[in-house]
Amino acid sequence: MVALTQSKLLNKEKLKIQIVENLEELKLHADSWNQIVFDSTHQLPMTSYAWVSSYFEHYVEADESWFCVFAYNDSQLIGVLPLIVTSQRFFGFKFSLLVTRRASQSCSLDIVAALGLENIVIPVLIDAAKQFCPHHLGMVFNRLPENSPTIAALEGMSDVILIKELDWMMGAHLKITGCFDEYRKNLSGNLKSTIKRSAKKLYQLEGVKTIFLKGSDATEKHLPQLIEVETASWKRTRGHLIANSSIDVSFYTNLTRRLSEAGWLEWQLLEAEGKTIAINLAIKLKRSTIIWKLAYDESYSKFSPGTILFEQVVKSAYEDKVEEINLISDFPWYDNWKMDKRPHYTIKVFSHQPISLMFGLLPAYVLKKLKVLKRQFIKRYQIFSNKEQNVDAKAMK
């Protein structure tokens, strides 16, 4: 009701716009920025000051730059648009492109707007970015969840042209409804049997305990435990380890420190025999628990430590009465826990200016059509291949 009243009184012509291009000034907006994210519709920590500042500090390339657009209504922050300025070349000419990067360290960076004001604030932020960087080809918002207010706000703007593409990876989330006992009852017999069998073996070890570190107890000091367990996990041969990159270590050190300062950081640990055998890096927002990193010591795999820990995470979510556990990504094992899937989209935004139409919209449109043709070709080939296999099978009979 408050948000609705604010939207009626808000005069977008009187909004104060600020452009920030350095980390020191960015920090001045930290608390208000984090608060908007905490209350937001889609509950994405990657859109916060804690995350954006850490990403900009470590992963912007030498030939790139970044800037953030802030919108204030009097002294109240009501919107933030963080963008990286990268470049594309056509026929020897260099053009700017404004993007939110899709990366393993931050895969769903979005526009931030005060709850209930999104349709007013987001177009203002877009216009301010266009004025600040007037000769850009377009903007690319990578991997926005379907419940992002940005998608609806952009679709309502008449002065831009959009290309909307479904991302290849869904986002898995577990809705927390009813009671934990009822939820657990509906899990598959195989999963319940695995949990029972593994827990029986696990609790024969010494010092088995589950620990959830929250509030002032959750700091960046526990990051080495995550790095150690991750290094002992399957990722040491088949994945990307934080320990293998000094930049990644610095990023996660600063990220966890800033998440801790915001009061959002949570470490979820399973310990046995005096060591951590499974650990999650989680973020607690107003209505969601987001699990960003999971790892377990592979030498303890016969005890299913990751599964045992995740059951306790779900139980804790029911006790805390959050609305969902968001895994952000999508892997087959998520299906064992009856998770729902959320589509994500990449939104490309172009103006009606000739340069944007010719070197931005047209190549993006052609690329989209080529992707569609490729998918159709693969589908037809698979159908044809299946028919051939059926014919061969009949002939063998």
Side-chain angles (χ1 to χ4, degrees), residues 261-276:
E261 290 170 352
W264 299 351
L265 182 62
E266 180 171 293
W267 293 107
Q268 302 162 347
L269 306 98
L270 178 63
E271 295 188 350
E273 300 183 324
K275 61 187 294 188
T276 301

Side-chain angles (χ1 to χ4, degrees), residues 82-96:
L83 289 167
I84 292 174
V85 184
T86 187
S87 60
Q88 289 189 351
R89 289 186 177 275
F90 291 98
F91 308 112
F93 294 99
K94 185 177 179 181
F95 300 97
S96 295

Side-chain angles (χ1 to χ4, degrees), residues 85-139:
V85 184
T86 187
S87 60
Q88 289 189 351
R89 289 186 177 275
F90 291 98
F91 308 112
F93 294 99
K94 185 177 179 181
F95 300 97
S96 295
L97 188 67
L98 311 183
V99 305
T100 61
R101 181 115 65 214
R102 189 187 197 284
S104 59
Q105 299 84 10
S106 183
C107 63
S108 291
L109 180 58
D110 198 357
I111 301 175
V112 181
L115 192 64
L117 302 179
E118 295 93 347
N119 288 339
I120 298 174
V121 174
I122 289 174
V124 171
L125 294 169
I126 294 289
D127 288 342
K130 288 162 61 177
Q131 292 177 27
F132 182 73
C133 195
H135 302 299
H136 69 277
L137 291 182
M139 301 182 191

Side-chain angles (χ1 to χ4, degrees), residues 37-61:
V37 173
F38 186 78
D39 293 327
S40 66
T41 300
H42 47 332
Q43 300 279 277
L44 285 180
M46 292 78 72
T47 64
S48 67
Y49 163 77
W51 212 293
V52 171
S53 62
S54 300
Y55 187 87
F56 283 175
E57 186 173 2
H58 296 287
Y59 294 114
V60 176
E61 301 291 342

Side-chain angles (χ1 to χ4, degrees), residues 204-272:
Q204 291 176 357
L205 302 178
E206 292 185 4
V208 177
K209 55 184 176 180
T210 303
I211 302 171
F212 284 58
L213 298 173
K214 309 176 184 181
S216 59
D217 293 327
T219 70
E220 70 277 12
K221 293 180 181 179
H222 296 278
L223 178 62
Q225 288 173 259
L226 172 63
I227 294 174
E228 181 180 356
V229 176
E230 188 184 61
T231 304
S233 74
W234 60 270
K235 290 184 180 181
R236 70 181 185 273
T237 57
R238 290 171 284 157
H240 178 82
L241 294 175
I242 295 174
N244 288 343
S245 168
S246 60
I247 296 177
D248 287 353
V249 172
S250 296
F251 166 74
Y252 278 105
T253 299
N254 287 334
L255 173 63
T256 51
R257 174 175 55 81
R258 288 166 178 153
L259 289 173
S260 176
E261 290 170 352
W264 299 351
L265 182 62
E266 180 171 293
W267 293 107
Q268 302 162 347
L269 306 98
L270 178 63
E271 295 188 350

